[in-house]
Amino acid sequence: MTGMPLASADVRRHNLGLVLERVLTGVGAARADIAAHTGLSRGAVTSLVADLVDAGLVQESESVAAVGKGRPRTMLRAADSAPCLVTALLDADHATVVACSLSGAEITRAARRHHRPMGDPEAIADVLAEVLDDVGAELDRRARRTADLAVVVWAPVGGEPIRVLADTDLEWGEVDLLGLLRARSAYLAAFEAEGGAARLTADSDVAVLAEHASVGSPARLLYLKSDSGIGGAIVLADQDDAGVRVLSAAIGHLPVVPHGEACLCGQRGCLVTVAGPDALLAASGLAARAADEGLTSALTTFVTQVRSGVQPASAVWHEAAAEIARTLQILALSVVPEIIVLGGFVAALADDVDAAFGAIQPHIAHAAELRVPRVVGSTLGADAALRGAQQQARTRLLADPLAI
Ligand SMILES: [Zn+2]
């Protein structure tokens, strides 16, 4: 380590995080293993574990007989009563709320359809608040405190206080969603009254964290996600000491078609106007199905039709795949990712995009240093954003475990 030495309180906080992380991952979670893995002394680990046990975060579990003459080893795990992480996900069809333990095990989940009332954030906040309160009541029954509460939306967020900037899928302009929920959910209001701060985050910003981990944490990753609109993010993990950086990318609103159709964002020819779910479903005659059964169900039908060569879905998709590939090419030549991951409904059709992407590579791409990245479909499915949000919450809490 270089630079000024850390103050001892900072060192202890950092070491508590290291020990707790090791316990939560559950691999080799005896004190001796933790010491060996972290490079801390046995005495230091014993003292840090004692603090974590006192804080109600860690408990001793079974003893494992030692090999040879050693004493039996006591394993450690997250305490049964430890506070939990709660993630609310608002998508184009559903409000879903999941509570999980610090180690990621699901405790309870509730979901409800909101029927996509366009341009009516209050109606959707009503539904999400009900689901939050259902989960809050279940956590009360189990006497579990909430350590982190994150609300994930399928839209860009920003501003102060943080709010949804524009959700074209729901025809929202700027919406203070946390404010609407605070006025409706007794559970959220109680969490904040006890000193918690609910967080609002964009789905692609957190989903990409889970995707990045699932493909082996490459130095640079480009992520495109389409469930309702088209979003994305870029992950940079190749900078010393900077950790993983996520750059949000409004990929759906890159104006890729010259003089194209007017987009709700005010530009012309955005990718979403030629390859977004609503455009694809309309061109494939599936718009009514989306209205009746929800977007997710209609997109599942669309993917099935494309895979079976049913027209017009198949032709509509192949044109869209070429537009997506061309957009990815613009980004890939700028960012130079090792891999491109497609999430949402396009994950199932990633091979088509990979083929279209490969077909448009310039001759210079044959140079060894400009290897063409593969385009792959996410394997995490709809839970990528939830898992990413849980991962982000855990990273935040591990920075100061005794404040959990
Ligand atoms: Zn646009």
Side-chain angles (χ1 to χ4, degrees):
M1 194 167 292
T2 56
M4 294 286 287
L6 290 167
S8 63
D10 291 338
V11 172
R12 189 159 184 87
R13 214 166 16 241
H14 175 74
N15 290 341
L16 283 164
L18 287 180
V19 171
L20 181 56
E21 182 178 29
R22 191 71 192 165
V23 171
L24 296 179
T25 57
V27 188
R31 289 175 177 82
D33 301 323
I34 294 171
H37 180 80
T38 58
L40 296 165
S41 71
R42 287 287 294 272
V45 170
T46 299
S47 156
L48 292 162
V49 166
D51 278 4
L52 293 170
V53 170
D54 285 349
L57 299 171
V58 167
Q59 69 184 47
E60 294 187 342
S61 61
E62 78 279 19
S63 292
V64 175
V67 182
K69 291 181 185 170
R71 287 188 302 168
R73 289 140 38 98
T74 304
M75 305 302 285
L76 300 163
R77 63 185 172 89
D80 292 334
S81 58
C84 56
L85 311 174
V86 174
T87 312
L89 179 65
L90 183 63
D91 65 32
D93 292 318
H94 291 89
T96 305
V97 178
V98 176
C100 73
S101 71
L102 293 174
S103 45
E106 195 166 306
I107 298 167
T108 183
R109 169 187 291 245
R112 211 163 292 181
R113 266 191 81 180
H114 55 60
H115 301 286
R116 213 178 176 193
M118 299 302 254
D120 191 354
E122 301 209 348
I124 289 186
D126 286 344
V127 177
L128 181 52
E130 278 174 25
V131 184
L132 274 167
D133 284 352
D134 286 351
V135 166
E138 179 59 27
L139 293 175
D140 268 353
R141 270 193 289 281
R142 295 167 183 247
R144 295 293 288 262
R145 199 163 58 77
T146 302
D148 185 276
L149 173 54
V151 178
V152 181
V153 289
W154 279 8
V157 302
E160 181 62 45
I162 193 160
R163 62 191 69 201
V164 177
L165 295 178
D167 189 333
T168 48
D169 309 322
L170 298 172
E171 290 178 4
W172 290 6
E174 265 194 34
V175 172
D176 179 10
L177 182 59
L178 291 180
L180 293 178
L181 292 173
R182 211 168 272 136
R184 288 166 171 77
S185 165
Y187 162 70
L188 189 149
F191 171 72
E192 295 202 323
E194 286 162 17
R199 299 179 299 121
L200 181 70
T201 176
D203 68 318
S204 46
D205 290 357
V206 282
V208 74
L209 291 172
E211 301 288 2
H212 182 248
S214 84
V215 293
S217 304
R220 287 175 179 223
L221 176 143
L222 172 58
Y223 177 58
L224 178 149
K225 179 167 187 276
S226 179
D227 290 294
S228 49
I230 299 177
I234 294 156
V235 175
L236 304 175
D238 55 355
Q239 290 144 325
D240 292 344
D241 298 332
V244 170
R245 286 188 61 204
V246 175
L247 309 178
S248 302
I251 298 176
H253 295 283
L254 289 177
V256 290
V257 182
H259 316 296
E261 196 181 312
C263 179
L264 285 171
C265 75
Q267 303 183 99
R268 284 193 170 275
C270 292
L271 178 64
V272 74
T273 65
V274 288
D278 287 328
L280 300 183
L281 294 174
S284 305
L286 293 168
R289 185 184 283 261
D292 291 347
E293 298 175 10
L295 197 54
T296 311
S297 162
L299 287 170
T300 304
T301 304
F302 176 74
V303 169
T304 307
Q305 291 189 352
V306 170
R307 285 179 146 174
S308 330
V310 173
Q311 299 299 354
S314 178
V316 165
W317 165 246
H318 283 95
E319 269 183 45
E323 296 288 1
I324 293 172
R326 209 156 55 77
T327 308
L328 292 176
Q329 176 69 350
I330 293 166
L331 291 165
L333 289 175
S334 324
V335 174
V336 196
E338 286 173 32
I339 189 164
I340 299 172
V341 177
L342 304 186
F345 86 94
V346 285
L349 301 171
D351 287 351
D352 295 335
V353 177
D354 188 47
F357 183 74
I360 57 171
Q361 293 305 313
H363 300 308
I364 196 171
H366 297 303
E369 64 272 24
L370 279 176
R371 221 156 28 86
V372 179
R374 273 186 315 133
V375 180
V376 302
S378 161
T379 55
L380 299 181
D383 273 356
L386 283 171
R387 285 175 52 173
Q390 290 164 356
Q391 197 174 316
Q392 188 181 56
R394 200 159 35 243
T395 303
R396 194 178 69 78
L397 296 173
L398 285 173
D400 191 3
L402 298 186
I404 294 175

